[in-house]
Amino acid sequence: MKSSTMRRTGLAVAVAAALTAASACTPSGSSGASAEKAPPPRRDATQGAALAGSLAALRTAERSTDRAETARVESTTSMGALMSMTAHGALGWGDGITGTLTITYTGGTMADTMRRLGTTSMEARYLPDAYYARMGEKFAQQADGRHWIRYAYDDLESLAGGSGALLRDQMRTTTPNQCVKLLLASGDVRRVGQETVRGERTTHYAGTVDVARIADAGLKKQLTQAGVTTQTVDVWVNDRDLLAKKVEKARLTTGVLTQTAYYDDYGVKITTGKPPAGDTQDFRELLHKQGGTS
């Protein structure tokens, strides 16, 4: 593989990894209330009461998780033959997304690409205006000895035009409670029951999102742009009304995306600093050196 191609591929892989690891859920500016206006299936009185109770509990969980502002995160993600990966670290969402994740590719073509770049693991640091990805030694040899790539969120629009704008918005708004919002928007929510998650008592809720039936035009557009046609969402809420676990399976135009994530230690202190300037290369400058976009 030519060095310029390796650099371009590494840039794209770092973007995909940092975005997907933070949270695969498509962002939504909606609280879920407007989406619930879509005509629901007919239910008897008992079913209607159960649905109302589930929706009320999920709205409380969405607000409580949002107010917590930080948590430790551990996730596994797969997307067909393209990739499988793990991520762990701590994230905050009180003022844009902040925090640090260690992302490791465990399989798929993206793991092969990263292996050719000298490592299958990378550190991603999220700050309010940009995120930083630490690549391997082989990549640094092709980038003036610098290990870190800086992606300013405003610059992400340079990636593939309109899809870059979507990436930019996702990086700024992705939070754990987005999956709860998406479940509220589905109009198809059920309480599965009480379950234990890593020693903690939780309540399990599940639903299916059919993008074609979503009434919220803004959310529907975001899901469509992300290539989502249908998606199942399962969430586990603890006794403090905080998200403890989520599992989502989305059917995209490019295949099936599956992600499982665990959240704990809400309120943990987040201290994320910028990498040394002398060891950092700006994403836009790297693209300019290659005479185009990735």
Side-chain angles (χ1 to χ4, degrees):
M1 184 183 290
K2 294 181 179 180
S3 61
S4 62
T5 302
M6 290 181 70
R7 286 195 298 269
R8 286 197 301 270
T9 306
L11 295 174
V13 169
V15 169
L19 171 62
T20 309
S23 175
C25 280
T26 301
S28 165
S30 167
S31 65
S34 59
E36 291 163 24
K37 294 178 182 177
R42 290 185 178 274
R43 299 180 175 89
D44 60 27
T46 301
Q47 291 172 323
L51 174 62
S54 295
L55 291 174
L58 286 173
R59 290 191 193 98
T60 300
E62 189 276 318
R63 291 191 295 268
S64 297
T65 301
D66 184 51
R67 287 195 296 263
E69 295 192 347
T70 68
R72 295 197 185 278
V73 183
E74 181 182 329
S75 68
T76 59
T77 306
S78 66
M79 188 182 290
L82 180 62
M83 71 168 183
S84 60
M85 70 181 189
T86 64
H88 68 273
L91 291 176
W93 51 91
D95 181 23
I97 186 169
T98 58
T100 302
L101 292 179
T102 299
I103 301 167
T104 302
Y105 282 100
T106 56
T109 56
M110 282 192 174
D112 294 337
T113 298
M114 292 295 287
R115 197 171 292 114
R116 288 194 293 270
L117 293 169
T119 181
T120 56
S121 183
M122 57 176 269
E123 180 181 333
R125 295 185 186 180
Y126 304 82
L127 284 91
D129 63 334
Y131 86 90
Y132 298 78
R134 192 185 194 284
M135 308 299 285
E137 292 295 334
K138 189 176 292 187
F139 186 91
Q141 292 171 11
Q142 304 167 26
D144 301 323
R146 300 183 181 187
H147 297 83
W148 291 88
I149 307 170
R150 176 182 180 271
Y151 295 84
Y153 295 142
D154 287 339
D155 289 345
L156 286 181
E157 197 164 357
S158 301
L159 275 174
S163 62
L166 178 64
L167 282 171
R168 176 197 62 199
D169 294 342
Q170 284 181 303
M171 293 301 293
R172 281 175 164 159
T173 61
T174 295
T175 61
N177 65 332
Q178 295 295 343
C179 282
V180 182
K181 290 182 179 181
L182 191 58
L183 188 54
L184 285 166
S186 72
D188 172 30
V189 179
R190 66 186 184 280
R191 182 182 182 277
V192 180
Q194 297 285 325
E195 298 177 15
T196 300
V197 174
R198 295 187 167 181
E200 186 174 35
R201 188 175 67 176
T202 67
T203 303
H204 179 186
Y205 300 91
T208 300
V209 179
D210 182 350
V211 175
R213 295 190 60 214
I214 289 179
D216 186 321
L219 176 57
K220 189 172 187 176
K221 180 180 178 180
Q222 289 178 332
L223 289 166
T224 301
Q225 286 179 328
V228 178
T229 55
T230 60
Q231 180 168 344
T232 61
V233 181
D234 290 71
V235 299
W236 287 257
V237 179
N238 65 22
D239 289 344
R240 293 173 293 150
D241 296 316
L242 296 170
L243 185 64
K245 176 185 176 182
K246 66 102 176 185
V247 176
E248 58 174 312
K249 296 181 181 180
R251 184 167 296 279
L252 313 178
T253 54
T254 53
V256 177
L257 169 69
T258 302
Q259 185 179 76
T260 300
Y262 295 89
Y263 304 93
D264 61 16
D265 201 8
Y266 279 94
V268 62
K269 185 177 180 180
I270 301 290
T271 55
T272 302
K274 295 180 180 180
D279 197 24
T280 302
Q281 179 72 66
D282 191 78
F283 157 73
R284 181 178 287 276
E285 292 177 4
L286 277 173
L287 288 185
H288 179 71
K289 289 179 180 180
Q290 296 172 57
T293 59
S294 174

